[in-house]
């Protein structure tokens, strides 16, 4: 994510921490900021969903992405990568 309005690491972390907390609570997924933690206008987020049904995870992840796009008015989604692991 690109956060052009963020003027400091503190401002970035407030936005990102709140967003991650809401995602975890609303969707029951694991979510964290990964990589680029010291750059105040860039945030890399990771979200993980575990289920016996891959299509259920796809559905949850689509909802999470949609939620991030709606709730992050001050941020621009610059890249999305999805990986499905089957064991």
């Amino acid at each position: 994510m690109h956060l052009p309005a963020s003027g400091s690491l503190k401002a970035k972390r407030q936005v990102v921490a709140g967003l991650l907390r809401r995602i975890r609570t609303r969707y029951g997924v694991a979510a964290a900021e990964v990589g680029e933690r010291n750059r105040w206008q860039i945030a890399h987020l990771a979200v993980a969903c575990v289920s016996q049904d891959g299509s259920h995870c796809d559905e949850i992840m689509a909802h999470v992405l949609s939620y991030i796009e709606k709730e992050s008015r001050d941020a621009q989604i610059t890249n999305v990568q999805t990986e499905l692991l089957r064991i």
Side-chain angles (χ1 to χ4, degrees):
M1 297 174 61
H2 181 237
L3 302 142
S6 179
S8 68
L9 284 175
K10 183 177 180 180
K12 169 194 164 181
R13 290 189 177 129
Q14 286 178 333
V15 170
V16 171
L19 178 62
L20 291 173
R21 185 176 50 256
R22 291 189 308 273
I23 290 168
R24 286 186 208 107
T25 301
R26 186 175 183 123
Y27 297 102
V29 295
E33 181 181 3
V34 297
E36 303 294 347
R37 293 188 49 107
N38 292 322
R39 295 185 61 194
W40 45 273
Q41 290 189 329
I42 303 230
H44 291 186
L45 307 182
V47 179
C49 176
V50 178
S51 176
Q52 291 180 333
D53 182 6
S55 63
H56 178 260
C57 282
D58 286 339
E59 182 180 333
I60 294 294
M61 297 303 274
H63 286 294
V64 169
L65 180 57
S66 177
Y67 182 80
I68 291 170
E69 291 171 340
K70 288 179 196 168
E71 291 294 311
S72 302
R73 292 176 213 90
D74 296 335
Q76 302 164 349
I77 308 295
T78 57
N79 188 19
V80 175
Q81 294 178 334
T82 304
E83 184 176 353
L84 177 63
L85 301 175
R86 295 180 192 261
I87 298 175

